[in-house]
């Protein structure tokens, strides 16, 4: 296959209907794919087959699960090997959390000015139920108590190293880190996950073991875990120091200085309309607008506003996680790391622009214009999401 050829996967959704699930340009290594946006709002928990795939190299194969282990090393007194039986012996937790690539909605950003990166539409995100051991419990095994920010040996960060090898690391492993204070905080819900949606992880999503860091860009949730290092400074790997950093619009590839910015961790508040394409023909009358909203750091969604006149006036959408139950931010029954689905029915009589924007519990609001947050890597496009509708004949 050449770079201009396309790989298309389809799924049968009825006796006479086939829907494109993945439509992505090659090369196939690394393999990256996203589902159609309409699939995202079909269920609160994203089915494994419809969960976006993001890779930086060939997908590793782990055949001998009995010999597979994770090395715990670094600034600790006694290094240790943890086998799957050891991890499964720890208390198991299920955490519902989204994973979102930092480059989600990059294609819209590149329409302003060219950026580098995988050309994601709006579906490089999914909401899963992750099962596994809390990292805080794992670290206690090697003598690091809960709610610790620094070890006696000077360890302040936890680095996750993958079996995955990638060209950006000159053939070395993919790696990333989080602060020790986050890793040892049980309320942060950082997991060593071996299940996804109640089933063992598959290869695409990190079998046999991966890290889940809720509320943080997906690049920190390392798959195919090989080792955990306790280190003094944050990870110095490529994807921490020379990628996934947010620069102002004035920075380009001629004047970039990677050391002037910290690695991106939490993701900002975000909302996307999924029930309509960017340009869609509809029949005049009632239209139900559906989509997802989420914010990083465990912040809930306080409001989702929808406009049917390009942002001049707004209607508040209903929000829910469980069907038929109104979502209340910060309620103990709400999943704080998960997305919130929204819905509103509007009356459309003429060609117009439908817009969505969300507000989180810290009163953070999505920026209006993508131009204001353009950056050369095309990450964190959280501008108002806009779709154009043309009123006329339609099959809707």
């Amino acid at each position: 296959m050449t770079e201009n050829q396309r790989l298309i996967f389809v799924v049968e959704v009825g006796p006479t209907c086939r829907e494109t699930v993945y439509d992505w340009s090659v090369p196939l290594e690394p393999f990256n794919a996203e589902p159609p946006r309409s699939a995202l709002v079909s269920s609160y928990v994203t089915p494994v087959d419809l969960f976006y795939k993001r890779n930086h190299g060939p997908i590793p194969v782990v055949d001998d699960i009995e010999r597979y282990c994770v090395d715990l090393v670094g600034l600790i007194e006694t290094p240790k090997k943890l086998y799957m039986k050891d991890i499964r012996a720890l208390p198991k937790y299920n955490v519902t959390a989204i994973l979102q690539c930092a480059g989600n909605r990059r294609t819209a950003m590149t329409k302003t000015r060219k950026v580098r990166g995988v050309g994601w539409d709006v579906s490089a995100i999914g909401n899963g139920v992750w099962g596994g051991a809390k990292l805080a419990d794992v670290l206690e095994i090697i003598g690091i108590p809960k709610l610790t920010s620094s070890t006696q040996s000077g360890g302040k960060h936890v680095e996750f190293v993958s079996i995955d090898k990638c060209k950006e690391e000159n053939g070395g492993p993919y790696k990333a880190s989080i602060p020790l204070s986050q890793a040892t905080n049980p309320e942060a819900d950082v997991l060593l996950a071996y299940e996804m949606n109640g089933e063992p992880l598959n290869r695409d999503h990190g079998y046999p073991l991966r890290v889940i860091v809720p509320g943080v860009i997906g690049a920190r949730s390392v798959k195919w875990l090989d080792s955990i290092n306790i280190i003094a400074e944050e990870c110095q790997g490529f994807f921490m120091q020379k990628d996934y950093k947010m620069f102002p619009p004035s920075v380009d590839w001629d004047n970039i200085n990677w050391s002037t910015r910290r690695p991106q961790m939490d993701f900002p508040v975000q909302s996307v309309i999924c029930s309509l394409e960017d340009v869609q023909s509809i029949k005049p009358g009632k239209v139900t607008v559906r989509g997802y909203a989420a914010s990083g750091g465990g912040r809930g969604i306080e409001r989702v506003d929808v406009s049917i006149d390009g942002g001049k006036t707004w209607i508040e959408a209903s929000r829910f996680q469980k069907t038929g139950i109104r979502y209340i931010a910060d309620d103990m029954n709400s999943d704080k790391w998960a997305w919130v689905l929204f819905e509103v029915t509007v009356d459309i009589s003429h060609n117009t622009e439908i817009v969505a924007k969300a507000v989180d519990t810290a009163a953070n609001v999505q920026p209006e214009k993508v131009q204001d947050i353009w950056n050369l890597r095309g990450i964190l496009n959280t501008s108002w999401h806009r779709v154009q509708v043309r009123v006329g004949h339609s099959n809707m």
Side-chain angles (χ1 to χ4, degrees):
M1 280 182 149
T2 69
E3 286 193 8
N4 293 324
Q5 290 180 295
R6 301 179 71 80
L7 179 69
I8 299 175
F9 289 77
V10 293
V11 60
E12 300 288 346
V13 295
T16 61
C17 177
R18 296 200 308 168
E19 182 175 2
T20 301
V21 176
Y22 304 120
D23 183 349
W24 197 246
S25 297
V26 291
L28 299 182
E29 288 184 358
F31 178 59
N32 300 296
E34 64 179 312
R37 65 179 67 178
S38 59
L40 292 183
V41 288
S42 62
S43 62
Y44 174 59
V45 174
T46 308
V48 174
D49 290 345
L50 293 175
F51 214 99
Y52 82 99
K53 296 174 174 60
R54 176 68 174 114
N55 298 290
H56 295 89
I59 297 173
V61 178
V62 178
D63 287 328
D64 192 345
I65 194 63
E66 297 299 324
R67 296 183 62 184
Y68 169 82
C69 64
V70 175
D71 290 313
L72 301 175
V73 295
L75 298 175
I76 55 177
E77 291 186 5
T78 306
K80 187 174 181 63
K81 290 183 181 292
L82 277 186
Y83 292 85
M84 284 300 297
K85 61 180 177 62
D86 302 318
I87 296 169
R88 288 181 176 274
L90 293 169
K92 179 188 173 185
Y93 294 86
N94 288 313
V95 175
T96 304
I98 67 165
L99 286 184
Q100 178 175 212
C101 180
N104 193 28
R105 297 182 60 198
R106 183 178 279 128
T107 52
M109 187 172 281
T110 200
K111 291 176 183 177
T112 297
R113 285 162 56 193
K114 186 177 180 181
V115 299
R116 293 184 186 176
V118 177
W120 297 115
D121 186 40
V122 303
S123 302
I125 184 173
N127 192 44
V129 180
W130 310 96
K134 285 196 177 181
L135 180 59
D137 291 341
V138 172
L139 295 179
E140 276 196 321
I141 294 175
I142 55 173
I144 302 177
K146 291 182 171 67
L147 302 177
T148 297
S149 58
S150 179
T151 67
Q152 291 184 344
S153 303
K156 295 182 178 180
H157 297 263
V158 179
E159 179 183 64
F160 310 114
V161 182
S162 177
I163 297 170
D164 182 22
K165 302 296 192 294
C166 47
K167 65 179 182 180
E168 291 87 350
E169 294 286 4
N170 297 315
Y174 183 96
K175 50 191 175 181
S177 69
I178 62 173
L180 183 64
S181 58
Q182 183 178 13
T184 59
N185 181 0
E187 296 300 313
D189 289 329
V190 181
L191 293 184
L192 299 191
Y194 44 80
E195 287 183 2
M196 180 181 182
N197 297 353
E199 300 291 338
L201 291 171
N202 65 22
R203 283 183 55 204
D204 283 329
H205 296 291
Y207 175 85
L209 194 68
R210 70 170 299 163
V211 182
I212 294 294
V213 187
V216 169
I217 65 169
R220 314 308 176 209
S221 290
V222 174
K223 295 186 283 187
W224 311 294
L225 189 62
D226 182 65
S227 62
I228 298 174
N229 300 334
I230 310 303
I231 54 179
E233 304 293 336
E234 66 189 13
C235 171
Q236 295 301 300
F238 179 91
F239 295 100
M240 288 287 288
Q241 301 304 326
K242 293 192 174 181
D243 202 355
Y244 298 122
K245 292 184 176 184
M246 184 70 165
F247 287 89
S250 59
V251 173
D252 59 32
W253 293 104
D254 294 324
N255 63 16
I256 190 171
N257 182 349
W258 289 100
S259 66
T260 61
R261 293 291 181 273
R262 297 177 59 82
Q264 185 66 39
M265 301 301 282
D266 286 9
F267 50 82
V269 63
Q270 169 80 287
S271 68
V272 165
I273 297 167
C274 295
S275 57
L276 297 167
E277 297 299 322
D278 289 335
V279 179
Q280 184 159 348
S281 295
I282 63 171
K283 293 179 180 179
K286 301 292 185 182
V287 175
T288 300
V289 179
R290 299 184 181 91
Y292 66 78
S295 191
R299 295 179 292 275
I301 298 299
E302 188 64 31
R303 201 173 77 239
V304 178
D305 299 326
V306 173
S307 172
I308 61 172
D309 55 14
K312 296 176 184 177
T313 61
W314 300 90
I315 309 163
E316 185 173 352
S318 62
R319 292 162 294 132
F320 61 95
Q321 289 182 328
K322 299 172 179 65
T323 303
I325 301 176
R326 178 172 170 265
Y327 165 84
I328 301 174
D330 295 335
D331 186 273
M332 64 178 298
N333 295 316
S334 298
D335 295 324
K336 69 177 182 178
W337 306 113
W339 62 19
V340 174
L341 301 179
F342 68 86
E343 179 178 305
V344 64
T345 300
V346 294
D347 198 350
I348 305 294
S349 60
H350 57 273
N351 296 353
T352 190
E353 181 180 64
I354 301 178
V355 187
K357 64 179 174 68
V359 182
D360 70 15
T361 50
N364 298 308
V365 186
Q366 293 175 245
E368 177 180 353
K369 299 176 182 177
V370 67
Q371 293 88 341
D372 295 338
I373 54 172
W374 183 94
N375 59 93
L376 76 174
R377 275 294 282 116
I379 66 169
L380 305 184
N381 179 10
T382 57
S383 59
W384 294 1
H385 188 230
R386 306 167 184 267
V387 297
Q388 306 291 327
V389 292
R390 297 170 179 167
V391 174
H393 295 289
S394 168
N395 292 325
M396 287 185 64

